Amino acid sequence: MIADLGYLSLMLAFGLSLYVIIANAVAIKTDNERLKTSAKGAVYGIALLTTIASLALLYSLAVSDFSIKYVYSYTSTDLPLFYKLSAWWAGNEGSLLLWVWVLAIYAAIVVRADKLKEMTPWVAIIMMINAAFFLFMMAFVTNPFEKLAFAPAEGQGLNPMLQNPGMVIHPVTTYLGYVGFLIPFAFSMAGLILKTTDDAWIKVTRRWTVIAWLFLTIGNLSGGQWAYVELGWGGYWAWDPVENASFMPWLTGSAFLHSVMIQERKNMLKIWNILLIIITYVLTLFGTFLVRSGILTSVHAFGNSDLGKFFLAFTVSALVASLWLMVDRLHMLKEEKQFESYISKESSFLFNNLVLLGITFATFWGTVFPILSEAVTGKKITVSIPFFNAVNAPLGLALFLLMGICPLIAWRKASMANLMKNFLVPVGATAVFALISIIMGMKPMAVLAFSIAFFALAATIYDTVKGIIARRKLTGEAMPVAAGKLLIRNRRRYGGYIIHIGLILILIGIIGSHTYDVQVPKSLKLGESVKVQEYNIKYDRLAERKVGKNDEVYAQLEVWKGDKYLGIMEPSRIFYPTHPNPSTEVAIHSGYDEDLYLILADWDQQGTSTFKILINPLVKWMWIGGWVTVFGTIFALWPGRGSAVGGKYIQRS
């Protein structure tokens, strides 16, 4: 009954999505307002129907209705309710339903807001084309409510690697980000269709773009944290194809957020901004194709399925159609102004964009190369981590160098006096920092990378302090009052600075964990100890215990750092009755300077166990930087005075 209700809701939603497309098209041609209103109501109906379908699946998961194939495939009766519900996005069918539900809710909010009345019907058409595709897939290709011939007594259970809070947050936030980028894309295409090439669509969709970027940021960070604590290999990012799939639209989305500021303030980069949002949107579809095609091996992918050809066809169609539309309107997108100098804030934004696109291209090439090599030579040649690190690390450092330069450089054309005045303090402080680092004996690459991070941080703080001092001189306010009012009344600018500081902290974590990490494999007998750098680790016990229906084999190790006793750490392996392979549960002692990371790799009947002992410096700063980034984004988004879209619009009002 519930399954039938869910499937019926999807079928009706599919029919309504076609109605919205046709009704809006006819209404636009005939200028029929009643038909437009009817189509708007249909969008609300799709939101309601996909909500009903989602609730039907959630209910079926919660009560373990194994007559539904999806519930049988991804849950079992022993799962906590929390993980039963998170199985919503554990498989292809459920994740498609989550996707279309998010899309339907977003679409309902957009048509309800109706910010640009002339554009709204076209925006609804474009969003509903996407919704219709996903609903078609669920209605006719991969039904989440497909029934089995009989109801098994027990399900196959949830993949153990997905039984982690990180895997609850990561997929949802990633989807919220992916689908969110559809909104600025839809508005940009609507503008081109209507031949209105001003920047009104940027003003209307800026908040949506930032929200999508925020969710994708959280998705990437939570995915990295999940990999760190759950996958048991000691790292947080492996340039896995599916990791890359969510990283690439984040990069182009970041480029878009920066370049639209140039269009807002200088009426430049119109074509570039259209192209960036097309690329970002298509990359979200491409990521979906990668996850569901089965053509690449990944711990995140949904395995082999025949969905890939549908997603590939839709992705290529979307790319071709949007590029054709952009090229057809090129004559209307001519730039009204040109760059006056390479040494200017505008140019630094453009270089920032080029570097972000360079990282995107390198990541894309490394991701698809195995597919291309197999297609051309018949042999799949895998591109491994060293390629990505070798190409993207210098580009990443160049990006952070630009992050430091941009706040200090003037608009239009920077004079030598301007450069001397603004750069002297941060560059001088960075030189001192680099000298101290060299004297301390740091590795050359670490000196270079940490110095760039320090410069970006110093430049950001220096520019903020200059603003506070200037305000204090003008108003006579006390320093804390001047600082508070400056930040709150310029939330967009200083929210961006806070985001930069968060990203710099993430960079510090990456540099530390890649240049000073230690990995020691060690076999120990009971009672033996090992010393790794400052840590003394004594192997006390190996035992087994029941955790629900699962069996856990765990080791107990006493740990000291110098003379300080840190306690007992318990790395373990968990064996599941519903899955053939055990999962690795690592033990982590996390500090602000470094993480001690213990993995129970193996054991034998003679009482000898093999451990991997890792010391990962500064990793905690990555997670702290992530939270700072999230705070900065919310600070910039918070409505009210100071969150305006740019100087041009302030002047207009």
Side-chain angles (χ1 to χ4, degrees):
M1 176 64 180
I2 293 296
D4 294 336
L5 176 65
Y7 185 66
L8 179 63
S9 299
L10 291 179
M11 291 292 289
L12 289 173
F14 175 63
L16 278 183
S17 65
L18 297 180
Y19 172 75
V20 173
I21 296 167
I22 296 168
N24 268 322
V26 173
I28 291 167
K29 190 171 182 62
T30 60
D31 197 23
N32 188 328
E33 289 300 324
R34 291 184 63 185
L35 201 52
K36 287 180 185 176
T37 304
S38 172
K40 185 184 288 189
V43 173
Y44 300 149
I46 293 167
L48 176 63
L49 288 166
T50 53
T51 301
I52 292 172
S54 301
L55 290 174
L57 184 60
L58 284 171
Y59 176 80
S60 303
L61 291 166
V63 301
S64 299
D65 181 359
F66 297 131
S67 68
I68 299 174
K69 183 180 177 182
Y70 187 83
V71 179
Y72 164 74
S73 301
Y74 297 104
T75 64
S76 53
T77 53
D78 61 317
L79 273 179
L81 180 62
F82 182 63
Y83 289 124
K84 282 184 179 180
L85 298 179
S86 72
W88 182 7
W89 47 84
N92 250 329
E93 299 86 347
S95 63
L96 290 179
L97 178 55
L98 173 62
W99 185 296
V100 80
W101 178 69
V102 172
L103 197 164
I105 297 298
Y106 278 174
I109 296 171
V110 168
V111 299
R112 170 69 179 166
D114 202 10
K115 294 278 188 178
L116 295 172
K117 291 186 180 300
E118 192 180 4
M119 281 191 183
T120 301
W122 281 112
V123 170
I125 288 174
I126 293 165
M127 295 189 76
M128 286 304 107
I129 289 172
N130 284 264
F133 169 73
F134 281 89
L135 288 164
F136 170 83
M137 297 297 290
M138 286 185 289
F140 303 107
V141 181
T142 179
N143 174 15
F145 297 101
E146 181 182 350
K147 292 182 180 177
L148 295 171
F150 67 96
E154 184 55 276
Q156 293 182 325
L158 185 65
N159 186 332
M161 289 192 297
L162 303 182
Q163 296 178 38
N164 178 280
M167 267 296 110
V168 177
I169 300 169
H170 166 65
V172 176
T173 50
T174 301
Y175 286 4
L176 287 166
Y178 273 7
V179 182
F181 279 119
L182 171 60
I183 297 170
F185 169 80
F187 272 94
S188 69
M189 292 300 103
L192 290 180
I193 292 168
L194 293 168
K195 300 182 181 179
T196 53
T197 56
D198 61 17
D199 49 9
W201 68 275
I202 290 176
K203 178 184 177 184
V204 169
T205 61
R206 177 190 165 267
R207 195 175 294 273
W208 281 108
T209 307
V210 176
I211 289 171
W213 184 89
L214 170 63
F215 280 126
L216 203 49
T217 302
I218 296 172
N220 281 316
L221 284 169
S222 58
Q225 197 163 31
W226 166 77
Y228 189 64
V229 303
E230 187 63 29
L231 294 187
W233 60 282
Y236 42 80
W237 193 268
W239 297 107
D240 177 280
V242 178
E243 291 174 346
N244 296 346
S246 59
F247 185 49
M248 288 186 285
W250 183 87
L251 289 167
T252 55
S254 302
F256 177 71
L257 279 171
H258 285 84
S259 65
V260 292
M261 286 190 267
I262 302 299
Q263 185 170 347
E264 288 172 357
R265 292 178 179 274
K266 300 293 180 180
N267 213 16
M268 300 163 67
L269 302 180
K270 290 180 182 177
I271 300 170
W272 182 250
N273 286 327
I274 296 279
L275 184 61
L276 276 180
I277 196 60
I278 290 174
I279 293 173
T280 303
Y281 162 70
V282 170
L283 283 174
T284 65
L285 294 176
F286 177 72
T288 313
F289 160 71
L290 277 184
V291 176
R292 287 163 177 82
S293 63
I295 60 173
L296 290 172
T297 303
S298 164
V299 295
H300 308 275
F302 289 123
N304 292 324
S305 78
D306 59 354
L307 299 182
K309 57 188 178 187
F310 293 99
F311 276 94
L312 183 61
F314 187 70
T315 303
V316 172
S317 301
L319 178 63
V320 171
S322 53
L323 286 179
W324 176 84
L325 186 58
M326 187 190 77
V327 171
D328 188 65
R329 301 291 195 267
L330 275 182
H331 63 286
M332 303 173 63
L333 296 168
K334 289 181 180 176
E335 308 292 356
E336 297 176 13
K337 295 180 180 178
Q338 300 293 327
F339 286 96
E340 296 182 31
S341 169
Y342 288 115
I343 306 175
S344 64
K345 199 181 286 289
E346 297 95 315
S347 295
S348 70
F349 273 75
L350 183 60
F351 291 136
N352 151 299
N353 270 226
L354 294 176
V355 173
L356 283 166
L357 266 288
I359 299 172
T360 305
F361 178 76
T363 306
F364 180 81
W365 179 250
T367 303
V368 302
F369 189 76
I371 307 171
L372 297 177
S373 65
E374 188 174 29
V376 174
T377 66
K379 184 178 178 182
K380 183 178 285 188
I381 302 172
T382 304
V383 177
S384 57
I385 294 174
F387 164 79
F388 291 102
N389 287 342
V391 177
N392 287 341
L395 288 173
L397 291 178
L399 187 67
F400 278 89
L401 186 62
L402 287 166
M403 187 185 288
I405 291 172
C406 190
L408 304 177
I409 204 163
W411 290 97
R412 297 178 61 188
K413 185 177 182 179
S415 65
M416 186 55 69
N418 166 266
L419 295 176
M420 288 294 293
K421 179 183 175 185
N422 291 339
F423 280 80
L424 185 61
V425 172
V427 169
T430 303
V432 173
F433 173 84
L435 183 62
I436 294 172
S437 301
I438 293 169
I439 293 171
M440 289 173 63
M442 290 176 65
K443 297 176 183 178
M445 277 307 298
V447 172
L448 175 66
F450 278 125
S451 296
I452 289 174
F454 182 89
F455 169 69
L457 184 63
T460 305
I461 294 173
Y462 177 66
D463 194 59
T464 306
V465 170
K466 277 200 316 176
I468 296 170
I469 293 172
R471 180 181 175 88
R472 185 170 181 270
K473 283 182 179 176
L474 285 172
T475 63
E477 295 166 342
M479 192 64 85
V481 176
K485 288 187 175 179
L486 179 77
L487 267 60
I488 289 171
R489 293 180 180 179
N490 299 275
R491 279 200 299 280
R492 184 180 181 187
R493 176 179 181 177
Y494 291 107
Y497 280 13
I498 295 169
I499 293 169
H500 284 183
I501 291 172
L503 295 175
I504 292 165
L505 294 178
I506 292 172
L507 174 66
I508 289 170
I510 293 171
I511 298 168
S513 59
H514 276 76
T515 53
Y516 287 100
D517 60 314
V518 173
Q519 185 171 151
V520 178
K522 186 70 179 177
S523 293
L524 295 173
K525 293 181 179 178
L526 286 172
E528 282 189 338
S529 298
V530 61
K531 182 175 173 60
V532 180
Q533 292 194 345
E534 293 183 79
Y535 294 96
N536 278 298
I537 303 167
K538 183 185 174 193
Y539 176 33
D540 278 346
R541 186 180 182 216
L542 183 73
E544 185 171 342
R545 61 193 171 200
K546 274 283 184 186
V547 181
K549 291 184 178 180
N550 308 320
D551 296 306
E552 181 179 22
V553 174
Y554 65 99
Q556 289 189 336
L557 301 103
E558 288 188 276
V559 180
W560 290 263
K561 186 176 184 181
D563 296 330
K564 185 179 179 183
Y565 180 63
L566 299 183
I568 294 174
M569 296 178 66
E570 290 188 356
S572 68
R573 303 284 291 277
I574 299 180
F575 295 81
Y576 301 86
T578 52
H579 279 81
N581 299 318
S583 66
T584 299
E585 300 297 317
V586 300
I588 304 173
H589 183 278
S590 185
Y592 292 101
D593 56 344
E594 60 194 17
D595 286 2
L596 176 64
Y597 191 102
L598 301 182
I599 304 168
L600 175 60
D602 201 2
W603 59 88
D604 62 26
Q605 297 297 321
Q606 286 71 45
T608 301
S609 294
T610 301
F611 300 93
K612 287 183 182 175
I613 303 167
L614 292 86
I615 298 173
N616 295 327
L618 303 177
V619 168
K620 196 166 193 169
W621 289 101
M622 289 187 57
W623 319 131
I624 294 172
W627 284 111
V628 173
T629 303
V630 170
F631 171 76
T633 312
I634 295 171
F635 183 80
L637 276 173
W638 203 262
R641 187 177 176 185
S643 64
V645 296
K648 193 169 70 172
Y649 292 107
I650 292 172
Q651 288 166 14
R652 284 179 183 176
S653 63

